[in-house]
Amino acid sequence: MKPIEAVNDFVVKFANVNGSGSASANQMFAKSILRMGVPATPRNIFPSNIQGLPTWYEIRVSEAGYLGARGGVDLMVQMNPQTWNQDVASIVPGGYLFHDSTRALPHGSLRSDINVIGVPLTQITSANYQLARELQLFKNVIYLGVLSALLDIEPEVFEQLFAEQFKGKDKLIAANVQAFKLGRTYAQEHLQCPIGLRVRRSDKVGDRIFVEGNSAVGLGMVYGGATVCAWYPITPSTSAVEGFTKWATRFRVDAETGEKKFAIIQAEDELSSIGMVIGAGWNGARAFTATSGPGISLMQEFIGLAYFAEIPAVLVDVQRAGPSTGMPTKTQQCDVLLCAYASHGDTKHVLLFPRDANECFEFGAAALDLADRLQTPIFLLTDLDIGMNERLVAPFAWDDSRHLDRGKVMTAEELEAGREFGRYTDVDGDGIAYRTYPGTHPTRGSFFTRGTSRDRKAIYTEDGAAYQDNMERLLRKFETAKSYVPTPLRKDAAKPTKLGAIYYGSTSDSMEEATEILAADGVDIDLLRVRAFPFNKSVDDFIAAHEQVFVVEQNRDAQLRTLLINEGDLNPRQLVRILHYDGTPITARQIAGQIRTSLGLDKAAQKEAAE
Amino acid sequence: MTYLPKPKLHHPELPKNDLGYTRRDYEGSISTLCAGCGHDSISAAIIHACYELALPPHRIAKLSGIGCSSKTPTYFLGASHGFNSVHGRMPSVLTGAAAANRDLIYLGVSGDGDSASIGLGQFAHAMRRGVNMTYIVENNGVYGLTKGQFSATADRGAKNKKGATNQDAPIDMISMAMLLGASFVGRSFSGDKTQLVPLIKAALAHKGPAFIDVISPCVTFNNHEGSTKSYDYVREHNEAVNFLDVILGRQEITVDYSPGSVEVVRQHDGSLIKLRKINSEYDVNDKIAAMEYVQKHQSKGEIVTGLLYVDSDSQDMHDHLGTSSTPLNAMDDAALVPGSAALAKLNASLR
Ligand SMILES: Cc1ncc(C[n+]2csc(CCOP(=O)(O)OP(=O)(O)O)c2C)c(N)n1
Ligand code: SF4
Ligand SMILES: [Mg+2]
């Protein structure tokens, strides 16, 4: 057996017990690689549980900059006897198993094609610490020390990270550095260091930042001017509101008075959260809610009201595997159709598909502008993979000349000057009418908002012609939306090709990597990353320009494909499903494998796709 | 339908309030409810109360759910913005609106189906949160708009129009409101303008969640023999504890009642509520006693009306949240957007 030799290109996976304090040690490990200038992408794999069940943290180290999941494990840091067998089985031949050798190996056959590295972690820890809390926390730090030696990561990088994390608490810094050194020294004295996997200093991280999508959503809401947030806790969206709370507390509390320029209301359920968002939007504040599929299901009736009565609202849907409670801690892109056509009657909604935390910030702020400009609910569709994992992304950017675009709002001055107001009157053909905020003018501009039909002046009517006139205007508005939403991004292959692929959101990194794999095999594919619904005209053009278009997504029913066919009047045969929906993020190899199979290119592809 | 003919021109002699508005300026469009419906009397009482308080009509936001009762905001305060939302969910919409602009006066109008059946949860949580509002339930014991099914406030043993008996225990919104944190709780009868108008005035002046349960007979589906929400039944069983007058800050109080029978309560905005007590023992500031009194009389089949509880030092949701005194919807970019320099610093902390 030949041990794997790889520099800056491998996968490390930590197997831990939920609640054992491993999360911050593992995060520090990922950061240490970034500080070495090498891109690293961690993913949390966790159960719906608070303490005791298995959890994993997988890090792909890739100097080439691939951020998608790769599949396979080169180094398993096995700290949880419960999952020993499956963890050992997941190591690729020639890979490494690092485990706590204090006690005899758990049952189960050890493979002969992997390299086993035992360190008596528990023994070292108990020889140096007494308190239960210390035993647990420092054990994690000790394995960081061992790993630094095994993978050749500079110890100074860790020392710096400890200094930053425990800034101002010198004792803690010293204690952590000491534990770290215990591990590092042990490894240097007892093991062959480094192993075949190594981290070598590089400069491929650049000015990128390392941040979770949900935190970025919260920041986007602060920059986008949201002042009211109403929500009900649900994984994986909760940390988006926590993000908003954190950033709003940092940026929106008056230094002198302590007054808050925001209101966060934890509602009693999602019906109430969306009701509050609609009430606030109606009253001229920017408002949002964050939830996941089950919450969107509950909000249906209200979403129809906001669509029909034309009230701005932003809904962040951090998607998880459904239906029902499904796999609440696993990722999917399964709410596309639910959101696109949410509520009864004829409805269509604007959806935004950010690919990562940078776009979570950008689209989050943009969603608030769009909601005001279009006077309708806007859905920001992220997912667990984007939302709950730290990822290396382009730094956040803000143009100070940008203004919060409140859309068509008639002011007291305009009303006073005699400007005509009709709440549902389309004055310029874009399908969007002027609104007024409640309380604007003593005698002019008031109107009654309702979910029942009304005429152009907002007067109740059951006249079919007036109803239809209004429904058609809403369609015109949806046409207008096409030019307001983020445009699709096209990236053509080096050579002309009849093959295209459409993808969106969190599959983007894997899709882009897959095209490189395929290109190396002689399969050229043009790419179109869709960033919003309604689809821009360039989506139709792209499809028309290709014989076959693969639509890559993480759900069973090919939901974006359905939406494309439905809205574009397309021939379904032209669009090929590339699907992955077991709750894990799709990998480049899986995409490439499925595409090769569908093209009938080779048999081996079938095997890879099944991985 | 109740057609109230309305000449376009105001009668020059119509009296004006301190703002120079006449009663007409507080009216809305013509009611389309059944002639004699209790809800129309409540609309009239709201118009009367707002006129007498001289509230600027456009500074009131009126919100409702779905039902005959929830339709009524169209029939009063035509110069105010209104929002007829979805069935049972007015409280959340009102809460969001109140969060957005703390400077308007919020009037929530609902029915017993809207608030005690489908919307019981939202009703409860809006009270708990301390939303600054006046919340009126127009309580007729049935779903008027869907043609007379029992609602959750129908009394056990009450008969519907077809003679069927309600077997389920009733929800008493008064007791619930007190229990859940409403800081102003009253009950009245749509047929008793003298009691209802000042009660609405006091509620509008109150800071915090003010709840009024108004028994409002449905003449079409629940005004028969055997109903406990009919005009006759309510008149016979009305157990009023007090009547009140609301006195605005600058007016003098002249005590013209026998000693012991009048109590003055000062509200947060400085207005005074002068209570003409019918039951001299009844203490409107004692919540526990109020709950006991209401329950005791209810068990005897009596309907206790009047101002039942008030906390004059009440706080509201904005106090709890610590929101700025400037309404959130009035904040500009400078107040809300931290800018690129702050973002550059933040980026640096994420490397
Ligand atoms: C979700 C939903 N379910 C059912 C209805 C039908 N509906 C309309 S009004 C109403 C009951 C209204 O009763 P209440 O609030 O007591 O008002 P009232 O008509 O008696 O004044 C019902 C069930 C609806 N509009 N929405
Ligand atoms: S049905 Fe009843 S509640 Fe509805 S308008 Fe007629 S009388 Fe009023
Ligand atoms: Mg009713």
Side-chain angles (χ1 to χ4, degrees):
Chain A
M1 181 264 307
K2 200 175 162 300
I4 297 176
E5 295 274 337
V7 177
N8 292 353
D9 183 17
F10 52 87
V11 172
V12 183
K13 190 167 180 176
F14 294 81
N16 300 99
V17 178
N18 209 9
S20 68
S22 56
S24 69
N26 295 349
Q27 188 211 33
M28 190 170 284
F29 175 77
K31 274 202 153 173
S32 74
I33 295 169
L34 295 176
R35 293 292 176 90
M36 292 285 289
V38 180
T41 308
R43 285 189 164 80
N44 288 292
I45 302 149
F46 61 100
S48 183
N49 160 267
I50 302 301
Q51 201 179 47
L53 288 185
T55 130
W56 292 268
Y57 188 74
E58 183 184 290
I59 300 166
R60 180 176 186 186
V61 179
S62 168
E63 185 165 13
Y66 298 126
L67 307 182
R70 189 202 72 177
V73 179
D74 300 311
L75 167 59
M76 172 63 71
V77 181
Q78 218 296 330
M79 295 294 144
N80 183 5
Q82 289 174 76
T83 56
W84 175 268
N85 286 339
Q86 71 182 92
D87 291 340
V88 170
S90 68
I91 302 169
V92 299
Y96 303 80
L97 169 69
F98 167 30
H99 71 108
D100 181 355
S101 61
T102 307
R103 261 164 266 134
L105 286 186
H107 294 295
S109 56
L110 248 190
R111 293 165 49 180
S112 57
D113 63 345
I114 57 173
N115 309 283
V116 180
I117 305 160
V119 174
L121 282 174
T122 308
Q123 194 186 322
I124 301 173
T125 318
S126 38
N128 290 279
Y129 301 96
Q130 277 79 41
L131 299 175
R133 226 181 74 81
E134 285 183 344
L135 286 173
Q136 195 176 54
L137 293 181
F138 287 129
K139 186 171 150 185
N140 299 331
V141 180
I142 291 171
Y143 74 59
L144 288 181
V146 174
L147 286 170
S148 78
L150 292 177
L151 300 173
D152 209 13
I153 306 172
E154 295 162 13
E156 297 75 19
V157 163
F158 280 96
E159 283 165 28
Q160 175 68 27
L161 286 169
F162 288 128
E164 289 171 19
Q165 181 165 352
F166 304 111
K167 202 174 158 189
K169 298 172 191 150
D170 290 349
K171 267 199 192 146
L172 257 180
I173 298 171
N176 276 277
V177 171
Q178 197 198 353
F180 175 83
K181 283 188 174 155
L182 274 175
R184 187 170 167 88
T185 311
Y186 179 93
Q188 283 166 334
E189 286 171 2
H190 298 85
L191 306 169
Q192 218 205 319
C193 296
I195 55 171
L197 309 175
R198 262 153 302 150
V199 180
R200 188 179 55 210
R201 189 163 272 288
S202 178
D203 58 359
K204 295 290 170 357
V205 170
D207 68 347
R208 280 183 282 181
I209 57 173
F210 189 58
V211 66
E212 284 183 0
N214 280 350
S215 178
V217 164
L219 186 66
M221 293 303 156
V222 170
Y223 272 75
T227 50
V228 177
C229 164
W231 70 296
Y232 189 75
I234 183 169
T235 304
S237 71
T238 300
S239 51
V241 175
E242 287 167 354
F244 180 71
T245 310
K246 173 177 158 186
W247 302 123
T249 306
R250 178 173 308 175
F251 294 121
R252 293 259 200 85
V253 178
D254 190 287
E256 277 165 35
T257 61
E259 286 184 349
K260 293 178 184 160
K261 297 174 199 164
F262 60 92
I264 299 170
I265 308 174
Q266 187 184 316
E268 61 273 23
D269 56 30
E270 288 87 348
L271 275 74
S272 183
S273 16
I274 187 64
M276 290 177 194
V277 167
I278 288 171
W282 173 76
N283 214 1
R286 290 195 155 181
F288 80 101
T289 185
T291 185
S292 192
I296 301 284
S297 289
L298 274 181
M299 295 174 182
Q300 295 291 309
E301 188 187 14
F302 256 134
I303 294 169
L305 172 75
Y307 173 79
F308 193 58
E310 298 179 74
I311 297 162
V314 171
L315 297 90
V316 180
D317 177 0
V318 188
Q319 298 166 95
R320 63 188 218 185
S324 189
T325 308
M327 292 196 288
T329 61
K330 300 289 179 303
T331 199
Q332 269 189 0
Q333 298 173 307
C334 53
D335 298 339
V336 175
L337 289 175
L338 170 74
C339 294
Y341 300 125
S343 206
H344 56 278
D346 291 323
T347 57
K348 293 190 205 212
H349 307 287
V350 175
L351 317 178
L352 306 181
F353 305 116
R355 74 175 286 162
D356 62 14
N358 178 278
E359 285 190 345
C360 281
F361 169 75
E362 195 186 316
F363 291 8
L368 292 158
D369 275 349
L370 285 168
D372 268 347
R373 290 182 80 181
L374 294 164
Q375 301 175 10
T376 198
I378 308 289
F379 291 79
L380 183 67
L381 255 69
T382 75
D383 60 27
L384 183 142
D385 191 33
I386 298 174
M388 291 188 72
N389 289 304
E390 285 172 303
R391 191 72 39 88
L392 209 50
V393 299
F396 301 132
W398 190 260
D399 176 358
D400 286 327
S401 68
R402 173 174 169 171
H403 284 289
L404 303 180
D405 180 353
R406 305 308 313 263
K408 290 183 179 167
V409 178
M410 214 175 271
T411 61
E413 293 70 37
E414 289 167 320
L415 291 164
E416 185 60 36
R419 186 156 173 202
E420 188 168 328
F421 174 70
R423 173 64 186 100
Y424 298 109
T425 312
D426 182 3
V427 287
D428 51 15
D430 64 1
I432 306 164
Y434 273 85
R435 63 178 184 137
T436 52
Y437 298 153
T440 297
H441 190 278
T443 53
R444 296 172 189 169
S446 73
F447 66 96
F448 208 85
T449 303
R450 45 165 66 86
T452 34
S453 58
R454 68 273 141 161
D455 64 12
R456 294 176 176 189
K457 295 270 186 190
I459 306 298
Y460 178 85
T461 175
E462 293 178 19
D463 171 34
Y467 164 83
Q468 210 164 317
D469 172 63
N470 184 58
M471 290 299 280
E472 271 158 24
R473 182 178 55 76
L474 290 175
L475 269 188
R476 272 204 307 284
K477 184 163 89 168
F478 207 61
E479 272 304 305
T480 303
K482 289 183 180 174
S483 57
Y484 285 7
V485 297
T487 50
L489 297 182
R490 181 167 173 164
K491 196 173 155 213
D492 282 351
K495 293 178 212 139
T497 172
K498 291 280 163 208
L499 298 178
I502 288 181
Y503 60 106
Y504 61 103
S506 64
T507 62
S508 301
D509 290 307
S510 292
M511 180 69 235
E512 288 157 16
E513 185 184 347
T515 10
E516 292 183 27
I517 299 176
L518 288 162
D521 286 355
V523 180
D524 291 305
I525 299 187
D526 293 339
L527 295 180
L528 189 75
R529 180 161 72 89
V530 166
R531 300 197 298 167
F533 174 72
F535 302 120
N536 187 278
K537 190 182 164 297
S538 60
V539 177
D540 296 338
D541 297 344
F542 179 83
I543 295 170
H546 294 87
E547 265 165 29
Q548 228 178 53
V549 176
F550 301 100
V551 184
V552 181
E553 49 189 325
Q554 302 189 131
N555 55 63
R556 186 191 69 180
D557 293 345
Q559 298 190 18
L560 190 86
R561 177 179 174 271
T562 304
L563 202 57
L564 286 163
I565 293 168
N566 198 35
E567 296 291 323
D569 268 338
L570 303 174
N571 176 2
R573 279 166 205 264
Q574 205 188 344
L575 301 184
V576 183
R577 301 174 177 87
I578 302 294
L579 305 174
H580 174 83
Y581 61 95
D582 67 1
T584 62
I586 196 167
T587 66
R589 293 179 198 178
Q590 286 164 336
I591 296 175
Q594 284 196 42
I595 289 180
R596 277 201 301 248
T597 306
S598 120
L599 293 171
L601 284 183
D602 59 29
K603 287 262 151 32
Q606 269 164 5
K607 244 187 85 210
E608 259 178 1
E611 271 181 15
Chain B
M1 298 214 288
T2 324
Y3 283 107
L4 302 169
K6 281 180 206 180
K8 277 257 180 294
L9 290 172
H10 286 176
H11 196 280
E13 241 104 283
L14 275 182
K16 289 183 173 158
N17 64 15
D18 288 356
L19 280 183
Y21 290 123
T22 70
R23 277 271 285 282
R24 277 285 151 86
D25 296 316
Y26 293 85
E27 289 174 353
S29 53
I30 294 167
S31 169
T32 58
L33 302 183
C34 308
C37 175
H39 300 348
D40 277 332
S41 312
I42 302 173
S43 297
I46 292 170
I47 291 167
H48 199 135
C50 293
Y51 164 77
E52 286 191 350
L53 284 177
L55 298 176
H58 72 297
R59 302 304 290 172
I60 305 171
K62 38 179 192 170
L63 297 99
S64 62
I66 299 290
C68 296
S69 36
S70 293
K71 280 184 175 192
T72 62
T74 318
Y75 316 138
F76 56 79
L77 300 176
S80 307
H81 273 66
F83 196 158
N84 199 186
S85 64
V86 289
H87 195 21
R89 320 294 175 200
M90 172 275 285
S92 64
V93 180
L94 191 153
T95 303
N101 183 358
R102 62 188 301 167
D103 282 356
L104 297 186
I105 295 164
Y106 294 92
L107 174 59
V109 173
S110 179
D112 43 324
D114 202 57
S115 279
S117 301
I118 192 169
L120 187 63
Q122 294 218 338
F123 160 78
H125 289 279
M127 295 301 155
R128 280 184 59 228
R129 266 182 209 108
V131 180
N132 188 11
M133 63 181 169
T134 296
Y135 190 127
I136 297 176
V137 165
E138 308 192 343
N139 185 355
N140 53 17
V142 288
Y143 297 170
L145 196 61
T146 52
K147 300 191 184 286
Q149 302 83 357
F150 283 123
S151 80
T153 63
D155 289 308
R156 187 174 262 164
K159 284 197 171 38
N160 74 8
K161 219 178 165 183
K162 290 176 187 153
T165 307
N166 176 44
Q167 302 293 354
D168 299 341
I171 287 175
D172 171 30
M173 305 214 69
I174 286 298
S175 301
M176 285 198 71
M178 285 194 258
L179 205 57
L180 291 165
S183 45
F184 179 109
V185 178
R187 177 152 55 201
S188 192
F189 173 41
S190 66
D192 189 349
K193 209 172 112 183
T194 25
Q195 188 189 46
L196 180 57
V197 172
L199 197 57
I200 295 174
K201 284 166 70 177
L204 286 167
H206 180 78
K207 177 185 178 184
F211 176 72
I212 309 177
D213 179 27
V214 187
I215 314 290
S216 174
C218 168
V219 289
T220 307
F221 297 111
N222 206 13
N223 198 31
H224 47 269
E225 180 85 39
S227 158
T228 58
K229 300 273 192 292
S230 66
Y231 279 108
D232 287 347
Y233 186 93
V234 179
R235 283 202 184 98
E236 277 157 31
H237 296 78
N238 191 344
E239 172 67 24
V241 291
N242 52 34
F243 283 78
L244 49 161
D245 294 322
V246 176
I247 301 152
L248 296 178
R250 61 197 104 89
Q251 284 170 252
E252 283 284 311
I253 328 167
T254 48
V255 183
D256 53 359
Y257 300 99
S258 56
S261 71
V262 165
E263 183 186 343
V264 174
V265 180
R266 180 180 291 276
Q267 295 238 86
H268 180 270
D269 70 336
S271 66
L272 303 170
I273 308 174
K274 187 170 64 180
L275 289 171
R276 280 178 280 139
K277 292 186 169 190
I278 292 169
N279 181 325
S280 60
E281 310 279 86
Y282 196 91
D283 178 1
V284 290
N285 296 120
D286 185 342
K287 190 192 316 199
I288 310 287
M291 291 203 286
E292 195 196 342
Y293 187 91
V294 167
Q295 295 287 324
K296 222 187 213 158
H297 287 258
Q298 219 135 264
S299 67
K300 289 193 267 180
E302 292 165 359
I303 304 165
V304 180
T305 61
L307 173 59
L308 303 177
Y309 170 66
V310 62
D311 172 2
S312 325
D313 300 320
S314 58
Q315 289 207 322
D316 81 338
M317 179 177 75
H318 283 287
D319 296 327
H320 305 159
L321 292 173
T323 15
S324 70
S325 42
T326 309
L328 295 176
N329 74 346
M331 293 187 171
D332 59 7
D333 295 30
L336 299 177
V337 187
S340 64
L343 203 53
K345 256 198 181 149
L346 194 146
N347 279 328
S349 73
L350 297 171
R351 288 195 175 109

